[in-house]
Amino acid sequence: MVKILGGSLVLIAAYLFGMKLMEPAAEHIRLLEEGDLLYRILESEIRNTRTPLPILFERLLKKTWKEKFSKEEQNLFLNAGRNLLSDDMEYQREEIKQLSTYLNEKILQMKKEYTNKKKVVLISCLCMGALAVILLF
C-alpha cells in the first residue's frame, strides 16, 4: 500500500514539475493578451493627455515587461501608435486594427505551440516519473 502511495506521489510530482516548466510560456501569452487590451486603454489616454503611446509603453516596458517580452515584441509596443496624435481618425483606427490583428495572430500561434509543447513536456515528465517509480521498486 505504501509503495502504491509513494509511486502515485512521484507521478504527481512529475506532473506538477511539468506544469511548472510551462508556466513562463503561459505567462508570456497572458501578457501579450493584456498588452493588446492595455493598448486600447492607453489609446484613449493619448487622446486625453496627448502623451505619445510609445512613451507610455516605454515606461511600462522598462518597469515590468522588459524581461518578459522578446525584442521584437518590445519594439512592436514601443513603435505602436507613433502617429495616433494625428487628426486623421481613419488612419488611427487602421493602426489600432493592424496592431490588434497582428497581436491576435501571434497569440493564436503561440497558444498552438504552447499546447503542443505542454503535451510533450508533461508526457516527458510523467515518463521520467514512471521510470523513477519502476527503478525504486
Side-chain angles (χ1 to χ4, degrees), residues 19-121:
M19 292 297 290
K20 188 70 174 172
L21 286 176
M22 293 306 298
E23 248 178 39
E27 177 71 6
H28 190 135
I29 292 170
R30 188 186 65 74
L31 283 174
L32 280 177
E33 290 172 334
E34 283 183 9
D36 185 38
L37 176 63
L38 183 62
Y39 177 79
R40 293 174 189 279
I41 293 169
L42 289 178
E43 188 248 337
S44 66
E45 183 73 16
I46 287 170
R47 291 206 173 92
N48 295 332
T49 64
R50 308 295 283 178
T51 304
L53 187 59
I55 292 173
L56 294 173
F57 270 119
E58 185 176 9
R59 291 177 191 157
L60 286 172
L61 284 166
K62 284 183 179 177
K63 289 181 182 176
T64 56
W65 294 349
K66 189 167 182 133
E67 66 278 351
K68 305 276 186 187
F69 286 151
S70 69
K71 287 288 184 191
E72 175 191 352
E73 292 162 349
Q74 288 179 30
N75 287 333
L76 176 71
F77 284 111
L78 289 175
N79 293 329
R82 60 188 170 270
N83 295 319
L84 285 179
L85 292 176
S86 73
D87 293 333
D88 186 0
M89 295 298 284
E90 188 60 37
Y91 180 75
Q92 292 177 12
R93 278 190 220 112
E94 188 61 32
E95 282 283 312
I96 293 167
K97 183 179 175 182
Q98 285 178 359
L99 177 66
S100 186
T101 301
Y102 175 79
L103 281 176
N104 287 326
E105 288 174 359
K106 185 168 178 91
I107 289 168
L108 284 175
Q109 177 189 5
M110 289 178 73
K111 282 184 177 181
K112 287 178 186 176
E113 291 173 4
Y114 172 80
T115 301
N116 293 335
K117 187 176 179 181
K118 183 178 177 181
K119 288 177 187 176
V120 170
V121 168

Side-chain angles (χ1 to χ4, degrees), residues 16 101 133:
L16 292 175
T101 301
V133 169

